[in-house]
Amino acid sequence: MASLPPSLDTWLAEAKADPAASRCGMYLFHNGVVRETPKAQVRTGEHGGVDATGSVGSMEFAYDAAKVEAAIEETRAMPGIAYVRVWLNEGELEVGDDIMLVLIGGDIRPHVVDALQALVGTIKSTCVREVERPA
């Protein structure tokens, strides 16, 4: 069963109260959500369990916490990055349910954008298991 995600407003307030906030000129969120369009339709060469002509009704989602923590630590070491926070859901998720939230804070836009893209990419490619179920 899906968990309720944390409040983005609360996360941002906590980030701005963090000792690292004085080094942050930008914060950027990623909010991944279960969609009905299957991976096979939108990403060449990828298949998440539903073929390109079908629709996703739900997704089984799991993650390796140690791999996620390692990815977070790598991101914290990137140039200009001062704040990183991640929440991942787990279990059987329905279309529209939140999969993940990621918040990155850093000095300048290029550093923050690059860090967000790298972290979400690493999480999606090496830390999680997503199995789409047909509608």
Side-chain angles (χ1 to χ4, degrees):
M1 172 178 235
S3 299
L4 291 176
S7 162
L8 298 180
D9 290 334
T10 299
W11 268 25
L12 190 54
E14 290 170 358
K16 289 180 175 183
D18 190 87
S22 64
R23 299 191 321 266
C24 293
M26 178 181 182
Y27 293 95
L28 192 58
F29 277 106
H30 168 79
N31 181 196
V33 179
V34 179
R35 65 178 182 279
E36 71 177 10
T37 310
K39 280 186 187 181
Q41 185 178 341
V42 297
R43 290 195 178 108
T44 305
E46 287 196 39
H47 193 273
V50 175
D51 68 38
T53 61
S55 292
V56 174
S58 66
M59 172 195 295
E60 180 187 330
F61 186 81
Y63 63 93
D64 182 317
K67 288 181 179 179
V68 172
E69 188 55 40
I72 291 168
E73 291 307 314
E74 286 178 22
T75 304
R76 285 189 176 122
M78 292 178 75
I81 301 306
Y83 192 87
V84 180
R85 191 158 182 187
V86 174
W87 170 86
L88 297 170
N89 211 336
E90 198 165 27
E92 194 71 23
L93 309 180
E94 302 297 321
V95 171
D97 283 347
D98 294 299
I99 298 170
M100 74 171 72
L101 299 175
V102 177
L103 173 61
I104 305 283
D107 57 359
I108 59 173
R109 180 181 43 80
H111 289 157
V112 177
V113 170
D114 288 350
L116 181 69
Q117 185 164 328
L119 179 54
V120 172
T122 298
I123 289 170
K124 295 284 285 179
S125 66
T126 65
C127 303
V128 304
R129 184 174 63 83
E130 300 173 321
V131 179
E132 297 172 339
R133 308 251 191 255

